[in-house]
Amino acid sequence: MHYQPAQKAGSVERLEAKPINAARLGRPLYEKRRKIFPKRAEGRFRRFKWLVMLVTLSIYYLTPWIRWDRSAHAPDQAVLVDLAARRFYFFFIEIWPQEFFFVAGLLVMAGFGLFLVTSAVGRAWCGYACPQTVWVDLFLVVERFIEGDRLARMRLDTGAWTFDKVRKRVAKHAIWLVIGVATGGAWIFYFADAPTLMKSFVALEAAPVAYMTVATLTATTYVFGGLMREQVCTYMCPWPRIQAAMLDENSLVVTYNDWRGERRTRHAKRAAAAGEVVGDCVDCNACVAVCPMGIDIRDGQQLECITCALCIDACDGVMDKLGRQRGLISYATLSDYSANMALATNNGAIPIDPRRVRDGNGVFVQGIRDFDWRIIFRRRVVLYFGVWALVGLGMLYALVSRDRLELNVLHDRNPQYVVESDGSVRNGYVIKLLNMIPEPRRITLSLDGMPSARVRIAGQAPGDGQSFSVAVDPDKVTSFKIFVTLPKESLVEAQSGFSFRAEDPSSKERDVYRTNFIQPGTAK
């Protein structure tokens, strides 16, 4: 875009804004990037984007500092990926390595959630909540604050390198780098206790991987959000090319309603007085000027469009000034657009005639189709939602019903058994009790299936019972060695194997592990 003085279209300022990323321009594939200077938009969608940016950035930067009491035996950080202990903490939920299927389930839900949103409201994720979009918006806030709005930035960019230009550019890029450092710093706080890591990081005593991670994320945030911007969405992200499979004729997308906007003219009153057919579009280019992707939505649906709806805000503002109905650019479905276009063109028999869509009072005729929110609840969207909900409910059930006590038994391999002097046979086992709560517990371990067997913990005096109580550490695996002895006359009891049963008397949690008792003639 090149700076030219603004012109007037009636009472509406006409901006000399030309699209950068338009297929009709036929730009070569390896052309040098041309900068985009989006104008600040005002309106309901821009306010919604401010809200989303505030919420998402607050979640990202503040979450590691939220505390959650898990007793003295577990970390008190609400969200923590503890790689050293191989744990993932999320408020009251604790995920162990063997429960990684929960993470896989979340990824499946995220995928179907993206399909669901795209099928219903197009690329809403890209336009509002994608990290690239959020950080680009944040970088643009800094840029506008230091260099001014669109025209001021364009003049500064093409102007000579004066002290004022150097000062503004240095300040802008310095703040961008600070944002990048804060982004990388917030990320590493998810993998260690945030206050402790902050102190060691500032004192240059943190692990080298922490500084490497912050440096990498600082660079990517600075380059992607400040320098590349729309190129990340256009060339690096695969989703613009996948989204076509997710859309149908009833998906909401940002649409220029040319059935009421064409023929566009800057001199509507003069053209109307001359009997010419004119539409609502006054060719002010406001929609082009605010687009962060550098496209003209009036050219139709394009790969680069992220449906941020800023062009809707810009166009609605122009329509308000002209006293015309909003919605020249709006969220619309292809089916509604096609029906309205058929009405405006007499089913394609004539060029667009906006007089066919309005009555003598300028009110839209009865056949014009407006957005009906019930179209969102169609079969395809319901199917995606059903799959998404089923995965979520399955994970919720697994989370609620899972036991926090796990028993694992390893049979001694050498020797597999020992024959004692009285003919009794003894087997050795390593018992591993996994206590998955941050509290110490006392677990009762007993045998099922060999009533004549006797159990003894290695290093302790022999007992004559089939069960014993053992203390287990909080949030850890407790291992110990036991011996199971079966009298000579009762060896027949071992033919079908037996079970170890671990039970917490207080919570009634239990786990059972079935194993074999090896004796002469059955060794493997």
Side-chain angles (χ1 to χ4, degrees):
M1 299 179 184
H2 301 286
Y3 166 69
Q4 296 182 16
Q7 301 176 7
K8 295 286 184 177
S11 60
V12 177
E13 179 184 37
R14 184 176 188 277
L15 303 172
E16 293 299 327
K18 298 180 180 180
I20 298 299
N21 296 316
R24 60 181 170 81
L25 298 179
R27 294 173 52 198
L29 180 61
Y30 297 106
E31 182 185 27
K32 181 181 178 182
R33 175 180 181 259
R34 287 186 284 174
K35 293 183 179 179
I36 299 173
F37 301 90
K39 178 180 173 61
R40 179 187 173 109
E42 298 288 347
R44 49 183 173 156
F45 292 106
R46 177 65 266 184
R47 289 191 295 271
F48 181 67
K49 280 174 67 67
W50 289 133
L51 177 61
V52 172
M53 185 174 74
L54 177 63
V55 171
T56 52
L57 290 177
S58 297
I59 291 174
Y60 177 73
Y61 287 117
L62 299 180
T63 296
W65 301 93
I66 301 175
R67 302 293 98 183
W68 189 267
D69 185 16
R70 298 188 182 92
S71 80
H73 303 284
D76 64 348
Q77 187 163 308
V79 179
L80 177 64
V81 181
D82 191 345
L83 295 178
R86 294 182 294 177
R87 307 279 193 283
F88 171 52
Y89 298 96
F90 185 81
F91 293 92
F92 62 90
I93 300 173
E94 179 182 354
I95 303 298
W96 286 65
Q98 66 271 26
E99 298 176 316
F100 189 79
F101 62 87
F102 284 112
V103 178
L106 287 176
L107 294 177
V108 172
M109 289 187 67
F112 275 99
L114 194 57
F115 297 162
L116 170 64
V117 171
T118 303
S119 179
V121 290
R123 291 178 64 184
W125 162 261
C126 300
Y128 299 99
C130 174
Q132 174 67 12
T133 298
V134 172
W135 262 272
V136 167
D137 271 354
L138 179 60
F139 277 43
L140 280 172
V141 169
V142 175
E143 186 172 272
R144 291 193 185 102
F145 177 77
I146 295 175
E147 298 181 354
D149 204 359
R150 177 175 178 268
L151 295 182
R153 302 202 308 276
M154 293 169 69
R155 283 193 293 263
L156 185 69
D157 189 68
T158 57
W161 281 93
T162 62
F163 174 79
D164 184 62
K165 180 174 180 177
V166 172
R167 176 182 61 83
K168 289 181 177 179
R169 287 293 168 87
V170 170
K172 178 182 73 174
H173 287 275
I175 296 176
W176 283 358
L177 286 172
V178 170
I179 294 174
V181 172
T183 302
W187 179 255
I188 64 174
F189 292 150
Y190 283 91
F191 296 87
D193 182 67
T196 303
L197 181 56
M198 170 66 85
K199 293 177 182 177
S200 61
F201 190 89
V202 173
L204 303 180
E205 298 173 351
V209 67
Y211 297 100
M212 293 168 54
T213 302
V214 172
T216 301
L217 292 179
T218 297
T220 53
T221 304
Y222 172 78
V223 173
F224 291 169
L227 304 182
M228 294 184 65
R229 294 186 178 175
E230 78 288 346
Q231 290 184 305
V232 174
C233 304
T234 304
Y235 300 112
M236 296 178 63
C237 180
W239 189 240
R241 293 152 182 83
I242 299 175
Q243 66 161 339
M246 300 294 106
L247 299 176
D248 58 28
E249 66 277 5
N250 292 313
S251 300
L252 278 177
V253 292
V254 174
T255 305
Y256 168 62
N257 296 306
D258 47 1
W259 51 267
R260 60 168 279 195
E262 301 294 325
R263 178 178 65 96
R264 68 186 77 159
T265 177
R266 308 172 197 173
H267 310 288
K269 292 183 179 180
R270 187 187 310 170
E276 299 178 8
V277 177
V278 296
D280 287 344
C281 180
V282 295
D283 202 20
C284 64
N285 290 331
C287 55
V288 181
V290 301
C291 180
M293 299 300 295
I295 66 171
D296 188 342
I297 192 62
R298 296 172 296 181
D299 293 337
Q301 289 299 309
Q302 297 157 73
L303 175 147
E304 294 84 2
C305 180
I306 59 173
T307 66
C308 62
L310 296 182
C311 54
I312 297 179
D313 283 340
C315 188
D316 284 349
V318 172
M319 293 297 103
D320 290 343
K321 291 180 181 179
L322 296 176
R324 301 178 185 177
Q325 186 173 349
R326 291 184 169 192
L328 178 58
I329 302 176
S330 64
Y331 273 106
T333 66
L334 178 60
S335 59
D336 289 343
Y337 169 83
S338 299
N340 295 336
M341 178 62 79
L343 186 61
T345 61
N346 192 22
N347 293 318
I350 60 174
I352 295 175
D353 185 353
R355 293 173 299 185
R356 292 178 55 84
V357 300
R358 284 192 170 96
D359 59 20
N361 298 321
V363 179
F364 286 123
V365 298
Q366 188 70 27
I368 290 297
R369 290 173 59 173
D370 296 320
F371 168 67
D372 185 351
W373 62 269
R374 288 174 294 184
I375 198 67
I376 293 178
F377 302 99
R378 61 188 185 279
R379 183 183 303 173
R380 185 175 188 172
V381 177
V382 172
L383 175 62
Y384 284 138
F385 178 79
V387 175
W388 181 84
L390 282 175
V391 175
L393 290 174
M395 289 178 56
L396 182 62
Y397 174 79
L399 187 67
V400 172
S401 61
R402 64 178 178 165
D403 288 330
R404 311 311 292 148
L405 176 65
E406 188 171 303
L407 170 65
N408 195 11
V409 180
L410 300 176
H411 194 288
D412 284 353
R413 302 300 299 172
N414 189 20
Q416 291 185 323
Y417 64 90
V418 174
V419 179
E420 298 183 344
S421 59
D422 61 354
S424 300
V425 178
R426 186 186 72 199
N427 282 200
Y429 301 87
V430 175
I431 304 295
K432 293 185 177 182
L433 286 172
L434 175 57
N435 178 19
M436 292 186 281
I437 64 172
E439 296 288 345
R441 293 202 277 186
R442 196 151 195 93
I443 303 300
T444 300
L445 188 68
S446 56
L447 269 64
D448 290 333
M450 291 196 308
S452 302
R454 294 295 177 263
V455 182
R456 176 173 64 88
I457 301 178
Q460 295 185 11
D464 58 357
Q466 281 206 319
S467 66
F468 57 91
S469 180
V470 61
V472 294
D473 296 327
D475 220 22
K476 290 182 180 179
V477 176
T478 300
S479 300
F480 51 91
K481 180 73 172 289
I482 70 168
F483 296 107
V484 177
T485 303
L486 194 61
K488 180 180 180 179
E489 62 275 9
S490 303
L491 291 178
V492 68
E493 297 178 5
Q495 291 179 354
S496 58
F498 71 104
S499 299
F500 285 103
R501 184 178 73 251
E503 185 173 5
D504 182 353
S506 59
S507 65
K508 304 304 180 182
E509 285 185 277
R510 57 181 298 180
D511 192 19
V512 176
Y513 192 100
R514 187 149 188 91
T515 187
N516 294 319
F517 187 89
I518 299 176
Q519 54 183 300
T522 62
K524 298 179 182 179

